[in-house]
Amino acid sequence: MKLNSIQTLRILGNIEGISYLLLLGIAMPMKYFFGIPMAVKIVGMAHGVLFLAYCLLLVLQIRMNKWHVLFGIYLFVATLIPFGTFLTDRKLRTLEITNS
C-alpha cells in the first residue's frame, strides 16, 4: 500500500488528535486528581512531537498542493481544538479522492 501525501497528513492528524485526547482525558486527570505528574510528562512529550510533526507536514502540504493560506490556517486551528483533527479529516479525505 502506497501512501500519498494527503493520506499521510490524515493519518498523522488522527494520531495527533488521539494523543491530544489522551493528554486531556487521561494524563491531566492522573496528574491533578491522583498526583501522578509523570503521565503528563510522557503523554505531553509524545503529543508535542506529534503536533510539531503535523505542523511541519501541514506546511509542506500547503506548499506542495498549492492550498490557500486560509485553508492551512483552518487545518492548524483545528489541531488546537479537541476532536478538531477528526473533523478536518473528512475534508482532507475529499481532497485526497479528487487528487487521485
Side-chain angles (χ1 to χ4, degrees):
M1 177 171 124
K2 181 181 175 195
L3 296 176
N4 67 36
S5 53
I6 296 175
Q7 188 175 23
T8 305
L9 184 67
R10 288 181 55 217
I11 291 169
L12 186 56
N14 285 320
I15 295 170
E16 189 273 337
I18 291 168
S19 75
Y20 191 30
L21 293 177
L22 289 174
L23 179 63
L24 294 177
I26 295 175
M28 296 290 279
M30 287 178 71
K31 177 180 180 179
Y32 291 108
F33 295 133
F34 303 111
I36 307 171
M38 186 57 69
V40 170
K41 288 182 182 180
I42 294 169
V43 178
M45 175 63 84
H47 171 68
V49 169
L50 289 166
F51 177 77
L52 291 175
Y54 180 84
C55 290
L56 177 63
L57 189 57
L58 177 60
V59 169
L60 294 173
Q61 288 305 302
I62 291 168
R63 295 185 73 189
M64 187 184 327
N65 294 303
K66 296 177 176 50
W67 291 340
H68 196 277
V69 174
L70 290 178
F71 182 62
I73 291 170
Y74 162 72
L75 292 174
F76 172 75
V77 170
T79 65
L80 305 176
I81 301 166
F83 299 100
T85 54
F86 306 119
L87 297 174
T88 59
D89 183 66
R90 181 177 297 156
K91 180 65 176 167
L92 288 173
R93 184 177 30 209
T94 304
L95 287 173
E96 180 184 359
I97 292 169
T98 57
N99 285 352
S100 296

